[in-house]
Amino acid sequence: MIHYIETLDRSYNANVEIIYPKDVRDIQDIINKNSKVIAAGSKLSFVPNFFSNKSVTISLKNFRKVLKIDYENNLLHVEAGITVREILNIIQEKKKTLKVLPGWPEVTVGGCIANNVHGKNPYNDGIFQEIVDEIEIITPGKKETIIANRVLNSELFFNTCGGYGLTGIIISAKLKLNSIKSNNFIKKKFFSNSPEDSLELLLKNKDSYCS
């Protein structure tokens, strides 16, 4: 089906064929039948990295299941189409969170991995790949999904984190959880009179949570 889609800031748009697969076999069939495909999550990117009028977009809207939660070992296994908001609504009941949180909670896990998004304190927390323990991915020409992590298929793992979907279609991911120690936080304000003062303050307080 042809859909009109656009980037978040409406700078780019196109009429694109979007397909909504129901399972892994559907995705494999789509890849085999089309030479140019790209995955889309919530379609909230500022750049058109999830569509082209010369390619087919695969929506992962039907891949939103929580596959397993291991609160003891702080691991969450989810399908790639689930959103950050949906995850937080589940894990916050157990006082858990994701250490790296993008500013827009409606983005999907697959999108966070493909764009390797950052949170509010990347200096200390790193970017999204820091909390990705493992991914399951479909690559062109393969009959089975591939498991990739920092040890197994590590090159594929790191190329997929920030790879804008060019390595294949992410099916699921295991994410590292963090415990919420308190419902309160300490807030400090710093004032500066110049860009130089601002830089000095940042360097002096770089080990604190700041944004």
Side-chain angles (χ1 to χ4, degrees):
M1 184 179 294
I2 304 298
H3 295 264
Y4 172 84
I5 57 177
E6 57 190 9
T7 54
L8 186 61
D9 62 356
R10 300 181 179 178
S11 295
Y12 302 91
N13 59 74
N15 292 309
V16 178
E17 181 181 2
I18 303 179
I19 303 177
Y20 298 85
K22 296 180 180 179
D23 52 35
V24 171
R25 181 173 293 182
D26 281 352
I27 295 177
Q28 291 170 327
D29 289 342
I30 296 167
I31 293 176
N32 291 333
K33 292 176 181 178
N34 298 274
S35 60
K36 295 182 179 180
V37 297
I38 193 70
S42 298
K43 301 185 284 293
L44 294 172
S45 176
F46 283 100
V47 294
N49 55 3
F50 57 93
F51 68 87
S52 165
N53 56 13
K54 298 180 181 179
S55 65
V56 172
T57 294
I58 296 177
S59 171
L60 295 175
K61 188 176 182 179
N62 295 320
F63 289 76
R64 302 172 75 158
K65 295 186 183 72
V66 175
L67 301 174
K68 184 178 181 180
I69 307 178
D70 184 349
Y71 287 120
E72 185 176 348
N73 294 304
N74 282 330
L75 274 178
L76 172 71
H77 190 192
V78 294
E79 291 184 324
I82 195 170
T83 67
V84 169
R85 184 188 297 277
E86 289 169 330
I87 289 175
L88 293 179
N89 286 342
I90 295 169
I91 65 176
Q92 283 180 347
E93 295 179 359
K94 298 292 184 179
K95 292 193 173 181
K96 301 290 183 179
T97 189
L98 301 176
K99 181 172 68 172
V100 180
L101 286 172
W104 199 281
E106 301 305 332
V107 296
T108 64
V109 166
C112 287
I113 297 171
N115 291 276
N116 213 359
V117 300
H118 61 82
K120 302 306 178 187
N121 191 26
Y123 180 86
N124 284 331
D125 297 334
I127 47 185
F128 203 80
Q129 72 179 37
E130 302 300 326
I131 68 169
V132 180
D133 186 67
E134 186 174 278
I135 59 173
E136 179 186 11
I137 185 171
I138 295 177
T139 59
K142 300 293 184 180
K143 294 183 179 180
E144 304 293 335
T145 60
I146 298 174
I147 300 299
N149 53 46
R150 287 169 175 78
V151 177
L152 181 66
N153 298 310
S154 60
E155 184 176 2
L156 176 62
F157 175 83
F158 287 111
N159 285 340
T160 300
C161 294
Y164 293 105
L166 298 179
T167 57
I169 308 297
I170 302 168
I171 301 301
S172 70
K174 292 182 180 179
L175 305 178
K176 301 172 186 177
L177 302 179
N178 268 54
S179 298
I180 299 174
K181 297 179 180 179
S182 172
N183 292 328
N184 303 310
F185 64 92
I186 298 173
K187 180 180 179 180
K188 293 182 179 179
K189 287 185 177 181
F190 298 93
F191 299 92
S192 68
N193 296 314
S194 67
E196 291 77 15
D197 288 346
S198 298
L199 178 60
E200 185 176 353
L201 283 170
L202 287 172
L203 292 175
K204 284 183 178 179
N205 297 278
K206 61 184 180 180
D207 293 326
S208 302
Y209 189 93
C210 59
S211 62

